[in-house]
Amino acid sequence: MTAILRAEWFKLRKSKMVPIILAGPIIGLFIGLSANLEDNMSGVPINEWYIALFSMNLTYALLFLPLITGVFASLICRYEHQSGGWKQLLALPVTRGKVFVAKYVLIVLLVMAMQLLYLCSVFTVGMIKGYTDPFPMEIVWKSIVGGWVATLPLVALQLWMSIMFKSFAAPFAVNVVFTLPSIFAINSERIGPYYPWAQPFSMMYIGGSTDDVFFVPWEQLLTVVGGGFILFFLGGYYYFQRKAI
């Protein structure tokens, strides 16, 4: 497994990965610096860091986080879709299951790296704006880790789609089609808690109860995120096992 991960990482380094990882955090940084919610909420007893995190999450977690995870999945399968790459890879002494798991783990690590860079963006916004309130470490970490956990089922689904379609644009287009409705889904009490593409925002939204894990109830975390992960991961795993190469 370690050798497969190294090989996948080597292939991914040849792609334009760094600008993609930086795109979301940089956009969040600009949103945080340009938003002036502090002026609109003057006199309201609320931690300034919450205001910055809320304004940045609104765009980052709702749109860019699920979209960029789809780009990662397309990039990690791009070489195999070119010039019979799948046949060359599977001709080596590796199993299909290990290849699928290695690609999934690498995407998940890339998403975590992007989340940590986003955390740096949040901290940078506060430093530039001169926030004097104490940094809410527990709340911020819940938001960062919660957003990462919420992408686990989406990464599995997008990896499945990337293996299925040879075109780089096809799985990304599918991701866009389902990401955009999340803007409306989050405003629905009936659809929002169960819509997979809305979960990154729900898990990073600091307006929820701070007593709940990642600001969402345990039932929502286990059924939607946990159930979605099992469904999409096993679906993609067994599809790859039976895929004609």
Side-chain angles (χ1 to χ4, degrees), residues 22-219:
L22 294 175
I26 289 175
I27 291 172
L29 177 64
F30 281 120
I31 292 174
L33 292 175
S34 60
N36 294 316
L37 294 180
E38 298 90 343
D39 297 336
N40 298 330
M41 301 185 68
S42 58
V44 179
I46 185 173
N47 193 310
E48 294 173 305
W49 293 98
Y50 293 172
I51 302 175
L53 193 61
F54 176 79
S55 62
M56 294 169 67
N57 284 352
L58 188 60
T59 302
Y60 172 80
L62 192 58
L63 294 176
F64 288 99
L65 181 55
L67 288 176
I68 293 177
T69 55
V71 176
F72 289 154
S74 296
L75 281 176
I76 206 169
C77 295
R78 187 179 66 171
Y79 285 99
E80 281 73 19
H81 284 308
Q82 297 174 350
S83 304
W86 287 116
K87 292 183 179 180
Q88 297 176 27
L89 175 61
L90 298 178
L92 301 174
V94 296
T95 63
R96 294 193 181 198
K98 288 184 178 180
V99 170
F100 183 87
V101 172
K103 287 182 177 292
Y104 179 83
V105 169
L106 187 54
I107 299 172
V108 167
L109 292 177
L110 290 175
V111 176
M112 173 55 77
M114 187 172 67
Q115 286 291 90
L116 293 177
L117 290 173
Y118 178 69
L119 171 61
C120 295
S121 296
V122 174
F123 192 78
T124 301
V125 168
M127 292 297 98
I128 293 176
K129 290 193 171 184
Y131 291 163
T132 57
D133 291 335
F135 186 74
M137 182 63 72
E138 181 181 357
I139 301 299
V140 173
W141 271 113
K142 274 189 175 185
S143 179
I144 297 299
V145 178
W148 176 70
V149 171
T151 63
L152 298 182
L154 295 182
V155 169
L157 176 61
Q158 290 157 6
L159 179 58
W160 183 1
M161 295 294 102
S162 297
I163 293 174
M164 182 182 300
F165 297 108
K166 293 183 178 181
S167 171
F168 179 90
F172 181 73
V174 172
N175 192 30
V176 171
V177 168
F178 286 99
T179 298
L180 294 180
S182 61
I183 300 174
F184 306 99
I186 60 172
N187 295 313
S188 172
E189 295 181 358
R190 299 178 60 183
I191 300 176
Y194 304 101
Y195 192 67
W197 281 264
Q199 297 313 303
F201 177 78
S202 298
M203 300 274 273
M204 296 184 71
Y205 180 60
I206 62 174
S209 173
T210 56
D211 296 329
D212 290 325
V213 60
F214 303 138
F215 315 116
V216 298
W218 264 109
E219 295 79 7

